[in-house]
Amino acid sequence: MVPLILIGAAVLGACLIFGYNSFVVGFVLLAAGILGLIVFMNTPGAVTRPGEGETIIEKHFMGNADHHRNYRT
């Protein structure tokens, strides 16, 4: 809800400065959309807690589990 109010305020402010026409409204909405996309793409995927600095990657083996064991023949 807050981002919609901020976008509305940006459109209203631009219309007060540059005059109300469809080009101004469209350009401000386009700029807000691109800025929102850039901000969204820069957000981290997971929230890290204090003290967590590493990422754990799990390995999953498909099929028979005997192929990665060492057997003495």
Side-chain angles (χ1 to χ4, degrees), residues 2 5-7 9-10 14 16-17 20 22 31 34 39-41 43 47 59-61 67 70:
V2 173
I5 294 172
L6 292 175
I7 291 172
L16 288 174
I17 293 171
Y20 179 76
S22 61
I34 291 173
V39 170
F40 175 73
M41 295 297 286
T43 55
V47 177
K59 290 185 179 180
H60 298 279
F61 294 99
H67 68 277
N70 294 325

Side-chain angles (χ1 to χ4, degrees), residues 14-61:
C15 288
L16 288 174
I17 293 171
F18 299 111
Y20 179 76
N21 58 18
S22 61
F23 177 76
V24 172
V25 173
F27 186 75
V28 172
L29 289 176
L30 177 76
I34 291 173
L35 181 67
L37 182 64
I38 291 171
V39 170
F40 175 73
M41 295 297 286
N42 285 326
T43 55
V47 177
T48 57
R49 294 180 185 89
E52 288 183 348
E54 68 272 358
T55 303
I56 299 172
I57 299 173
E58 295 181 13
K59 290 185 179 180
H60 298 279
F61 294 99

